[in-house]
Amino acid sequence: MVSNDRCLFCRIASGEITAKKVYEDADVVAFEDINPQAPTHVLIVPRKHIPSLDDLTDADAQVVGTVLTRAAQIARNLHLESDGYRLVINNGEAAGQTVFHIHFHILGGRNFGWPPG
Ligand code: 5GP
Ligand code: ZN
C-alpha cells in the first residue's frame, strides 16, 4: 500500500491526523469535510497515494473503480440516493484542487446548480 507521510489525506487515512471517519476498509477511507459545502459533505480517498487524475495509469483502474463503488455505497448508507447527490473531483489548481491526493467529494442534502461554479 503506497502512501506519502507528508500528505494530509495519507495522514488522515493512517489515523495520524484525526477526522470524522464515516467508513474505512483496506482500500478506501471516507471522512467528513472540515469545511462542509452541503448538509452532507464527505470525502472519499484511496489509501494509495495518487496525487491527481493526471497521475493515473491503467494499473490504477481497480483502485479507482473501488473508490467509485464505495462512494455509491456510502451515499446509500447516508440515504442520499433518493433525493440525489453529487460526486465531484476537482482536478488541478484551476479546478479548485487544494489537496493533491485523489478524492471524491460526496455532496448531498440540498439542490445543486448546473453548470457548477
Ligand atoms: P479539494 O479542494 O482538493 O477538491 O478538496 C479538499 C477538501 O479537503 C476541501 O473541501 C477541504 O475543506 C478539505 N480539507 C482540508 N483540510 C482538511 C482536514 O484537515 N480535515 C478534513 N476533514 N478536511 C479537510
Ligand atoms: Zn496521500
Side-chain angles (χ1 to χ4, degrees):
M1 198 170 296
V2 185
S3 68
N4 176 333
D5 61 11
R6 288 169 300 177
C7 166
L8 174 63
F9 286 174
C10 284
R11 294 166 80 191
I12 287 176
S14 72
E16 183 189 337
I17 292 179
T18 305
K20 291 185 183 169
K21 291 182 181 174
V22 301
Y23 178 84
E24 65 181 316
D25 62 25
D27 302 310
V28 308
V29 179
F31 50 93
E32 293 180 9
D33 195 292
I34 203 168
N35 183 23
Q37 301 301 313
T40 298
H41 188 169
V42 167
L43 303 174
I44 180 167
V45 309
R47 288 191 187 273
K48 180 180 181 184
H49 179 80
I50 304 169
S52 79
L53 297 181
D54 306 326
D55 302 292
L56 285 179
T57 70
D58 283 350
D60 298 310
Q62 188 167 358
V63 68
V64 171
T66 299
V67 175
L68 184 56
T69 55
R70 297 289 193 283
Q73 184 61 54
I74 289 164
R76 285 192 289 270
N77 292 349
L78 295 172
H79 307 294
L80 298 180
E81 83 279 15
S82 56
D83 288 336
Y85 61 92
R86 190 164 284 182
L87 275 187
V88 173
I89 296 179
N90 298 320
N91 191 66
E93 286 179 19
Q97 185 175 7
T98 59
V99 179
F100 283 78
H101 177 131
I102 278 184
H103 52 282
F104 277 110
H105 298 253
I106 306 171
L107 296 148
R110 67 171 171 85
N111 292 327
F112 296 96
W114 193 263

